[in-house]
């Protein structure tokens, strides 16, 4: 089937003029690509924004550092007094800070050598801090105006502690730069630079830029298109997966339900079966499976009808004999009717036995796994069994095998295979005349093991060379016992041979003058080595 061949083929990286850059199944590649595409877009956007934010923050630190170094140099040169122990003129240094700082974009603070605050650009700019008022309360509402009134003092205290640590580090003569929280909880880029005269630290200048939140907000706004694109890709991929997988699977489930509820005999979905992916393979496999089940059901129905017909014949004969038996007083006639009844009972027993064997055949074939069998040894044992149990008036069986160093091996099940040749030998013995012989031969032919079973009977009518393998077909020579055969032996033999990927044929043997001198059945089974 298509699914067997498609799934068994190795996946190549170059097929049909295009690269299969991702190994695996086609449907699996589609699922992986569609789900990873949106994530990749979001990750790429995040990386770009992170790099942009890092670059902006670093640029802001560099700018503040350059400006702070310029201010500290001027203060050191102009506001340093005292020899040999230098000191910073606090008043003059504050005036210089007022002239040099830019309070519109940043905040500058000046600390002395002990960490006391000397000047703040917010003082110079007379900046007024404003905050939004909380919503008005209803009369009698005693609840606090803020959800957490202690949050603001905690934030301010933490900001003062972080600033103190930064100033203390700068007092040791190190440049300190980084990001921390301001008094109102917003993030600020801060640079603290020591004011040094030779080796003495006279004070600390701290510059803060509070536009970090605006920068981050702008970055988030720039990330929004990537997020929207990723969401769009994920939605599109979900819709495509729903169309490519969910709907076809639901269609397959409904088709299977129709078969289960006996509203249909087989699944037929050509639009899905034509797909070149796993769902196409699954659909084709289900179609083949349900078609085989439908054919099996038809065969069972035909088999049931044939069984009913074959069983009805001896029953009808028995009924007639029983009804006539009470009306016949002649002992000879009664004996003849009793003989008919015995023959019909024997025929009915043989029919039931053969029908039971035929009905169990499929289960027996599926229950046992095939294995390597030495067909020459098996045929020799079958022929020896006939020789050991043969009565003087029965037809002998002769077996001949070609000389070979390698045993003729096939993959099969020993029980059913031996039943094939027993049925053929029994059929050949039933047609052979008294004094005749059944000849069994084994040979190799073109990668196959061929077994022939020949008799010396009247042969097979040319029009019946194929119909002899049909169920309940019987064509006996004149004088043969009526009802001695059920007509299932050759049908069972063909069913077993075809289950082993072989074939069975019937033909007539002719002499030099063209006269029929017997029948031959040929069984061809694939050799295990091939």
């Amino acid at each position: 089937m298509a699914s067997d061949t498609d799934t068994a083929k190795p996946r190549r990286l170059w097929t049909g003029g295009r690269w299969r850059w991702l190994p695996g199944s086609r449907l699996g590649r589609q699922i992986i690509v569609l789900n990873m595409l949106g994530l990749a877009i979001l990750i790429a956007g995040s990386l770009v924004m992170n790099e942009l934010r890092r670059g902006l923050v670093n640029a802001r630190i560099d700018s503040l550092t350059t400006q702070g170094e310029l201010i500290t140099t001027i203060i050191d040169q102009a506001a340093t007094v005292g020899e040999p122990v230098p000191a910073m003129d606090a008043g003059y240094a504050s005036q210089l800070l007022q002239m040099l700082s830019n309070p519109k974009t940043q905040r500058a603070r000046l600390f002395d050598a002990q960490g006391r605050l000397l000047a703040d650009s917010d003082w110079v700019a007379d900046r007024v801090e404003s905050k939004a008022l909380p919503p008005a309360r209803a009369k009698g509402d005693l609840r606090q105006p803020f959800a957490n009134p202690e949050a603001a003092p905690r934030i301010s205290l933490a900001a003062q502690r972080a600033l103190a640590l930064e100033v203390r580090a700068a007092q040791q003569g190190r440049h300190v730069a980084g990001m921390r929280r301001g008094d109102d909880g917003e993030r600020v880029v801060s640079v603290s630079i020591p004011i040094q005269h030779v080796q003495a630290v006279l004070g600390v200048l701290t510059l803060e830029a509070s536009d970090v939140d605006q920068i981050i907000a702008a970055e988030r706004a720039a990330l929004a298109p990537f997020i929207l694109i990723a969401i769009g890709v994920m939605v599109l991929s979900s819709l495509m997966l729903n169309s490519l997988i969910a709907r076809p699977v639901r269609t397959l489930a409904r088709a299977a339900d129709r078969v289960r509820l006996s509203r249909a005999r087989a699944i037929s979905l050509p639009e899905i079966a034509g797909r070149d992916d796993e769902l196409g393979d699954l659909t084709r496999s289900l179609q083949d499976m349900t078609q085989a089940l439908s054919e099996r059901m038809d065969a069972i129905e035909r088999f049931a009808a044939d069984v009913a017909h074959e069983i009805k014949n001896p029953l009808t004969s028995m009924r007639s004999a029983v009804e006539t038996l009470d009306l016949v007083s002649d002992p000879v006639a009664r004996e003849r009717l009793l003989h008919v009844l015995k023959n019909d009972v024997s025929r009915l027993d043989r029919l039931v036995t053969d029908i039971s064997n035929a009905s169990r055949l499929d289960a027996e074939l599926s229950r046992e796994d095939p294995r390597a069998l030495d067909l020459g040894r098996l045929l020799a044992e079958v022929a020896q069994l006939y020789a050991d149990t043969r009565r003087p008036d029965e037809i002998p069986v002769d077996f001949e095998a070609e000389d070979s160093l390698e045993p003729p091996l096939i993959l099969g099940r020993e029980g059913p295979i031996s039943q094939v040749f027993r049925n053929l030998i029994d059929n050949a013995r039933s047609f052979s005349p008294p004094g005749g012989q059944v000849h069994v031969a084994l040979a190799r032919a073109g990668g196959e093991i061929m077994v022939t079973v020949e008799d010396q009977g009247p042969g097979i009518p040319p029009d019946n060379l194929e119909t002899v393998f049909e169920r309940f077909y019987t064509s006996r020579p004149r004088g043969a016992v009526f009802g001695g055969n059920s007509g299932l032996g050759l049908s069972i033999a063909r069913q077993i041979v075809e289950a082993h990927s072989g074939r069975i044929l019937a033909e007539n043997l002719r002499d030099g003058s063209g006269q029929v001198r017997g029948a031959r059945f040929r069984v061809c089974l694939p050799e295990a080595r091939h």
Side-chain angles (χ1 to χ4, degrees):
M1 295 185 296
S3 60
D4 296 334
T5 57
D6 291 346
T7 55
K9 292 187 297 184
R11 297 288 184 178
R12 296 175 295 175
L13 294 180
W14 175 260
T15 55
R18 59 183 179 180
W19 286 100
R20 291 184 179 270
W21 53 273
L22 184 63
S25 65
R26 179 175 179 180
L27 200 56
R29 289 196 299 272
Q30 291 176 352
I31 293 174
I32 293 173
V33 170
L34 291 176
N35 282 285
M36 293 299 295
L37 185 58
L39 183 61
I41 293 174
L42 188 59
I43 292 175
S46 300
L47 293 176
V48 171
M49 289 298 102
N50 286 336
E51 290 297 327
L52 177 60
R53 182 172 66 179
R54 189 179 299 111
L56 290 174
V57 172
N58 291 336
R60 203 76 177 95
I61 291 175
D62 293 341
S63 175
L64 293 177
T65 301
T66 301
Q67 186 177 355
E69 289 177 348
L70 176 62
I71 294 174
T72 55
T73 301
I74 294 174
I75 292 176
D76 175 44
Q77 295 295 326
T80 301
V81 296
E83 289 291 344
V85 179
M88 184 177 61
D89 187 346
Y92 190 45
S94 299
Q95 293 179 1
L96 291 175
L97 181 65
Q98 178 183 1
M99 291 185 295
L100 297 175
S101 65
N102 184 7
K104 292 183 179 180
T105 59
Q106 62 197 28
R107 182 179 184 180
R109 281 183 277 198
L110 182 64
F111 298 88
D112 62 9
Q114 287 72 36
R116 294 187 295 268
L117 181 62
L118 300 178
D120 192 335
S121 61
D122 284 357
W123 302 344
V124 177
D126 196 19
R127 183 176 299 167
V128 177
E129 183 178 356
S130 62
K131 295 182 180 179
L133 292 175
R137 292 177 294 169
K139 186 176 181 179
D141 188 358
L142 300 180
R143 292 177 299 174
Q144 294 292 337
F146 299 101
N148 189 358
E150 298 179 358
R154 284 202 303 267
I155 293 175
S156 178
L157 184 61
Q160 293 174 9
R161 188 179 298 111
L163 177 61
L165 292 175
E166 186 176 321
V167 171
R168 191 175 300 114
Q171 288 175 341
Q172 299 176 2
R174 294 188 288 114
H175 286 215
V176 181
M179 186 179 297
R180 58 180 174 81
R181 293 286 177 178
D183 293 339
D184 55 357
E186 64 180 2
R187 282 176 288 192
V188 295
V189 175
S190 176
V191 174
S192 293
I193 303 174
I195 302 173
Q196 289 181 288
H197 186 81
V198 189
Q199 295 295 328
V201 176
L202 306 180
V204 176
L205 174 66
T206 300
L207 297 179
E208 299 174 359
S210 59
D211 56 353
V212 178
D213 287 335
Q214 291 80 0
I215 295 175
I216 294 175
E219 293 173 4
R220 289 174 177 171
L223 188 60
F226 293 95
I227 297 175
L228 294 176
I229 293 175
I231 293 174
V233 171
M234 294 298 291
V235 171
L236 179 62
S237 66
S238 300
L239 294 175
M240 292 183 65
L241 290 176
N242 179 65
S243 176
L244 292 173
I245 300 176
R247 289 182 181 177
V249 169
R250 186 166 58 250
T251 303
L252 280 174
R254 291 174 179 173
D257 288 338
R258 288 195 298 270
V259 174
R260 178 177 59 86
L261 298 174
S262 300
R263 291 196 293 265
R265 294 292 294 271
I267 292 177
S268 178
L269 298 171
E271 66 279 0
I272 304 179
R275 290 176 48 166
D276 185 21
D277 56 20
E278 286 73 14
L279 279 177
D281 293 340
L282 175 61
T283 304
R284 289 189 291 272
S285 297
L286 288 176
Q287 285 182 341
D288 293 340
M289 181 187 69
T290 54
Q291 182 64 33
L293 288 176
S294 178
E295 293 175 356
R296 181 65 57 84
M297 292 172 64
D298 292 337
I300 292 174
E301 292 175 358
R302 291 193 301 268
F303 182 74
D306 293 341
V307 166
H309 175 75
E310 292 298 322
I311 291 179
K312 188 177 292 185
N313 288 335
L315 288 177
T316 302
S317 176
M318 292 171 63
R319 178 181 178 182
S320 299
V322 170
E323 291 176 351
T324 308
L325 188 62
D326 294 336
L327 304 176
V328 177
S329 58
D330 185 10
V332 177
R334 290 178 64 87
E335 185 66 25
R336 189 181 305 113
L337 289 174
L338 290 174
H339 183 70
V340 170
L341 285 173
K342 292 179 181 179
N343 287 338
D344 287 338
V345 170
S346 177
R347 178 187 177 192
L348 190 60
D349 178 70
R350 188 178 299 106
L351 273 173
V352 171
T353 302
D354 290 345
I355 289 169
S356 177
N357 293 334
S359 63
R360 292 198 307 266
L361 183 58
D362 286 339
E364 292 177 358
L365 290 176
S366 61
R367 188 180 301 116
E368 182 182 356
D369 294 331
R371 58 185 181 87
L373 294 177
D374 185 348
L375 193 56
R377 179 191 58 80
L378 180 64
L379 288 174
E381 292 177 356
V382 171
Q384 185 62 41
L385 178 64
Y386 277 97
D388 295 340
T389 59
R390 172 178 171 264
R391 296 194 302 268
D393 57 338
E394 289 183 332
I395 306 298
V397 178
D398 175 46
F399 173 64
E400 177 187 1
E402 67 176 10
D403 294 333
S404 176
L405 296 178
E406 296 180 353
L409 297 179
I410 63 169
L411 286 177
R413 304 161 181 86
E414 185 171 356
I417 289 295
S418 62
Q419 183 180 358
V420 169
F421 298 109
R422 289 199 307 269
N423 289 354
L424 293 178
I425 292 173
D426 290 341
N427 181 79
R429 294 176 74 183
S430 67
F431 279 99
S432 295
Q437 187 181 33
V438 174
H439 181 70
V440 180
L442 181 145
R444 285 186 173 88
E448 292 181 328
I449 305 297
M450 183 176 66
V451 180
T452 59
V453 179
E454 302 176 356
D455 61 45
Q456 297 175 351
I460 304 171
D463 296 337
N464 295 337
L465 292 175
E466 183 63 27
T467 57
V468 293
F469 296 104
E470 295 180 358
R471 285 195 301 265
F472 302 113
Y473 173 84
T474 55
S475 177
R476 294 284 144 185
R478 185 171 300 175
V481 179
F482 176 74
N485 297 87
S486 63
L488 287 173
L490 295 181
S491 174
I492 292 175
R494 166 167 278 190
Q495 187 176 353
I496 295 173
V497 170
E498 290 180 349
H500 288 80
S501 303
R503 48 198 173 89
I504 182 172
L505 305 171
E507 58 186 2
N508 287 318
L509 296 174
R510 300 183 182 274
D511 55 19
S513 61
Q515 295 295 321
V516 176
R517 60 177 183 86
R520 173 193 292 155
F521 288 88
R522 284 191 296 148
V523 177
C524 299
L525 294 169
E527 191 172 2
R529 295 186 181 87
H530 296 272

